[in-house]
Amino acid sequence: MKISKELVKGSTVMMILTLLERKPMYGYEMIKEIESNSNGVFTFKEGTLYPILHTLEAEGWVEAYWCEQEGARKRKYYRITDQGKGHLEAKKKEWTTFRSALDFVLGEGRI
Amino acid sequence: MISDRNRAAIEDYLDTVCSQIKNKEIHDDIRCELNNHIDEILEDYLAEGIEESEAIKQSLLHMGDPVHLGKQFWIAHKPKTEWTLLGLVTAFIGMGLLIMYSIGMNQANHDAMSLFLSKVLTTWIGIIALAAVFFFDYRKLKTWSPTLFLGTLVIMLLVLLMGPRVNGIPHLDLGFIRIDFIHLSPFCLIVFLAGILLVDVEKKSEASGQNKLLAKALLLLLVPSLFYLITPSLYSFLLYAVGFFVLFFTSKASRRQIVILLSTIFVLIVGLFLTMKPYQISRLAAFLDPYQDPQGSGYQLVQSIESIRSAGWLGHGFGAELKVLPGIQSDFVFTYLVYSQGWLIGGALASAVLFFMIRMIRVSQWVRDPYGRMMINGIASLFILCFLYSILMTVGLLPPANVAMPFVSHGGSLFLIHMISVGLILSIYRRKDLHPTRLNNESTTS
């Protein structure tokens, strides 16, 4: 099913921060993870991930660094900051409230 | 290996993305990052056995429209303006203009409005200077820092040796204007010092470098201090010592170095007390108990405290006369403000000052460039000290000194230096998101 753009837009930040909370990642890794975790529901243009990451960096929620390991190509990794963790926590709470309220209105919360 | 023709298709794509991003400094960073991603997709396609040129076409399709992408990047990296600091500075200047007008209202001579008009003129010059610094890339100062620092010291020395004295303080005589250069030099020195200390810290790796760094730091502390102590300009010395310490502390110096430096500053202060001139000692004594000699050495303080006390919540009104206290347009501008406008407005200004201080500290935390952050820390510490001193002095909590409240007090060259300093902070904030990412070889947990 195709998901409307607005819905995806609101939740990408949450998804990215959740991924980075597990471990530092580079862009391609994130795309793969999101695709496999969402059963292919979230298939946005991959390039758009990067401006979002750069914005998160400017907000201070993630940190970026280039990592050069032997035998592997030079990659730009992102890791979540403490500030980012706090923001994610707040976002998650907001999402749970929103979801349960919506479920209730739609009737799925009633027994 | 990918053929040159197909490589060119990727380069074209990256060129289109970058053409949308006006700041060229981050182009390389973004190119490299996107190129990586494209290479990764490409490898997957090639592994599936898809023909090369088709694989590249598919990969680029995956990435999305390059123009749209570039625009998104530009939004993320657009220069930003710190409106809060700018707004507060505007409020301070506005307050200063009002006060100058108020003081001028009851000067019954021919140049009744001269205070106000000269404040208007310096405001305009200050705005131009601030704007110029705002658009100037502060990082260009870095390589010039040692030269500029030395240049400032040379001017200080020349002023000390042959500058004409005004109120006992040697001034820089430019022919058409006399500038109290010693008084404004801490701001220059601290700004240039940020560049010097940063280069040292970046270079320090071997243990012998540590001692060299310490020796150099001591020299950088002692030479200007000596100049201030023979001027004598104790307040400038205080500014420089505090600014120096904040800079050195935030440059990630080792604990041993900080201890040595702090004890040096302490020794300097003790030396200062021992070499104090009689009038300075009586000033200090007057500060400890101004009511002991309310007509003599305690006069200023007693008058200031009494004026503030008499103001009440609403003050004596706009244009109120305060004849008994000299220096109400400069050192005791806060006293006059409270005297004429009352405790409410005085409290409002004090709150704005507090907000300004907190905001500068926040801004420095948002800046990731170590050089920029150091510079803001240095400038912020000087501003905080100037503001605190100019307020606390008027209520008798600090000994009277030749202090101007930044942006509010009357005075041309000092105001200009303060405007340039704020311009630097805004220039640093403006470019905070424009830095290429650093290389970091620490292993990732995966």
Side-chain angles (χ1 to χ4, degrees):
Chain A
M1 191 170 86
K2 194 127 175 66
I3 305 287
S4 85
K5 257 188 187 163
E6 272 65 37
L7 264 181
V8 177
K9 216 176 181 178
S11 45
T12 27
V13 171
M14 234 195 310
M15 279 193 297
I16 291 170
L17 290 178
T18 308
L19 286 182
L20 293 180
E21 207 181 22
R22 286 177 214 149
K23 64 173 188 187
M25 282 184 184
Y26 56 96
Y28 190 66
E29 212 179 349
M30 285 181 226
I31 293 280
K32 286 274 149 211
E33 284 277 318
I34 292 173
E35 237 175 54
S36 67
N37 285 358
S38 72
N39 298 322
V41 173
F42 297 122
T43 47
F44 49 89
K45 288 294 173 196
E46 295 185 12
T48 49
L49 173 73
Y50 291 97
I52 296 172
L53 283 170
H54 286 213
T55 312
L56 295 184
E57 198 190 357
E59 295 281 358
W61 295 333
V62 304
E63 276 173 347
Y65 55 96
W66 285 100
C67 196
E68 224 168 1
Q69 279 163 334
E70 262 179 72
R73 67 171 103 237
K74 185 175 145 192
R75 280 172 177 144
K76 193 173 170 190
Y77 278 84
Y78 292 87
R79 73 173 150 234
I80 193 166
T81 61
D82 287 340
Q83 214 188 329
K85 281 177 193 163
H87 178 74
L88 178 61
E89 215 42 59
K91 272 276 159 201
K92 271 184 182 162
K93 224 174 240 165
E94 185 188 296
W95 172 248
T96 325
T97 315
F98 173 77
R99 192 185 52 192
S100 50
L102 188 67
D103 282 349
F104 199 75
V105 171
L106 295 180
E108 284 168 29
R110 286 175 212 160
I111 305 161
Chain B
M1 267 291 75
I2 301 162
S3 74
D4 285 348
R5 197 170 57 85
N6 288 329
R7 186 45 74 190
I10 298 176
E11 290 299 319
D12 269 356
Y13 181 88
L14 297 175
D15 284 344
T16 316
V17 172
C18 286
S19 69
Q20 300 297 318
I21 309 163
K22 281 172 203 138
N23 190 285
K24 291 202 173 64
E25 262 171 87
I26 41 167
H27 281 188
D28 283 347
D29 210 55
I30 287 172
R31 282 186 92 97
C32 195
E33 188 174 25
L34 290 182
N35 202 355
N36 267 350
H37 195 109
I38 296 169
D39 282 350
E40 307 253 14
I41 312 176
L42 200 55
E43 266 173 27
D44 284 358
Y45 274 125
L46 292 175
E48 283 172 31
I50 295 171
E51 188 264 327
E52 190 182 279
S53 63
E54 180 59 26
I56 286 180
K57 221 165 124 192
Q58 286 298 323
S59 308
L60 294 183
L61 214 59
H62 249 274
M63 295 302 285
D65 175 23
V67 175
H68 175 74
L69 191 53
K71 278 185 183 143
Q72 296 297 111
F73 268 122
W74 176 234
I75 291 170
H77 288 279
K78 239 182 196 160
K80 291 164 188 73
T81 307
E82 226 306 278
W83 291 107
T84 310
L85 277 187
L86 205 56
L88 284 166
V89 168
T90 311
F92 291 144
I93 296 175
M95 194 64 105
L97 282 166
L98 271 175
I99 290 174
M100 294 313 137
Y101 194 84
S102 181
I103 295 173
M105 267 173 80
N106 46 52
Q107 282 183 343
N109 45 29
H110 61 283
D111 58 355
M113 283 296 122
S114 72
L115 264 183
F116 175 70
L117 290 179
S118 82
K119 181 87 182 169
V120 171
L121 179 67
T122 49
T123 298
W124 277 113
I125 298 172
I127 288 171
I128 293 167
L130 185 142
V133 176
F134 177 68
F135 291 111
F136 170 76
D137 188 351
Y138 68 96
R139 277 163 289 182
K140 286 184 185 140
L141 275 179
K142 199 157 140 190
T143 45
W144 288 96
S145 292
T147 320
L148 290 167
F149 189 88
L150 206 65
T152 311
L153 284 182
V154 168
I155 298 176
M156 282 171 78
L157 190 65
L158 288 177
V159 169
L160 277 176
L161 289 178
M162 43 199 210
R165 294 189 174 241
V166 182
N167 299 327
I169 303 283
H171 278 53
L172 175 66
D173 197 350
L174 290 179
F176 62 99
I177 194 170
R178 282 183 177 175
I179 296 170
D180 187 354
F181 190 77
I182 302 292
H183 203 160
L184 53 87
S185 59
F187 275 87
C188 308
L189 290 178
I190 291 298
V191 165
F192 303 142
L193 199 61
I196 299 175
L197 284 181
L198 185 84
V199 173
D200 282 342
V201 170
E202 279 174 349
K203 274 195 291 198
K204 75 165 182 191
S205 46
E206 69 276 33
S208 67
Q210 288 281 333
N211 286 331
K212 249 187 231 162
L213 174 64
L214 185 64
K216 201 167 154 191
L218 278 173
L219 200 67
L220 291 170
L221 171 66
L222 288 173
V223 174
S225 300
L226 195 71
F227 285 2
Y228 291 130
L229 297 184
I230 53 176
T231 308
S233 178
L234 306 187
Y235 175 65
S236 302
F237 164 71
L238 183 70
L239 279 183
Y240 184 69
V242 168
F244 184 94
F245 179 69
V246 168
L247 273 192
F248 202 73
F249 190 76
T250 53
S251 73
K252 290 185 188 130
S254 71
R255 198 165 290 169
R256 187 179 72 103
Q257 290 173 329
I258 289 172
V259 169
I260 293 178
L261 251 127
L262 261 184
S263 30
T264 310
I265 293 177
F266 182 71
V267 167
L268 279 173
I269 291 172
V270 170
L272 196 71
F273 279 114
L274 294 178
T275 57
M276 269 215 279
K277 303 210 167 50
Y279 80 91
Q280 292 171 322
I281 295 173
S282 75
R283 250 204 212 173
L284 201 67
F287 153 69
L288 294 172
D289 185 11
Y291 286 93
Q292 202 177 30
D293 186 9
Q295 290 306 314
S297 51
Y299 180 78
Q300 272 188 318
L301 265 186
V302 169
Q303 290 305 329
S304 178
I305 294 169
E306 290 303 325
S307 304
I308 288 175
R309 202 168 279 168
S310 77
W313 289 106
L314 298 173
H316 296 282
F318 193 75
E321 208 170 355
L322 184 56
K323 267 188 178 160
V324 289
L325 187 66
I328 47 173
Q329 70 270 41
S330 51
D331 305 357
F332 285 96
V333 76
F334 187 71
T335 307
Y336 180 75
L337 172 92
V338 177
Y339 180 78
S340 60
Q341 308 302 318
W343 298 338
L344 271 181
I345 301 287
L349 179 64
S351 315
V353 164
L354 193 67
F355 189 33
F356 184 72
M357 293 175 189
I358 294 169
R359 191 68 184 181
M360 275 190 299
I361 297 169
R362 295 293 319 264
V363 166
S364 113
Q365 287 165 345
W366 288 326
V367 170
R368 276 168 292 139
D369 172 36
Y371 177 49
R373 194 182 322 162
M374 250 173 111
M375 214 193 265
I376 296 184
N377 286 337
I379 295 172
S381 60
L382 296 189
F383 269 132
I384 289 174
L385 204 62
C386 288
F387 269 119
L388 280 182
Y389 210 113
S390 63
I391 292 178
L392 295 180
M393 177 183 84
T394 62
V395 289
L397 291 173
L398 281 170
N402 189 10
V403 176
M405 186 183 246
F407 313 114
V408 183
S409 284
H410 188 262
S413 52
L414 208 54
F415 175 73
L416 199 59
I417 277 288
H418 290 154
M419 289 295 268
I420 289 172
S421 303
V422 167
L424 270 174
I425 295 183
L426 295 175
S427 163
I428 294 166
Y429 183 84
R430 188 178 145 78
R431 293 168 174 82
K432 78 182 177 76
D433 299 326
L434 301 181
H435 303 292
T437 308
R438 276 153 202 285
L439 185 66
N440 179 341
N441 276 326
E442 81 183 71
S443 62
T444 51
T445 47
S446 53

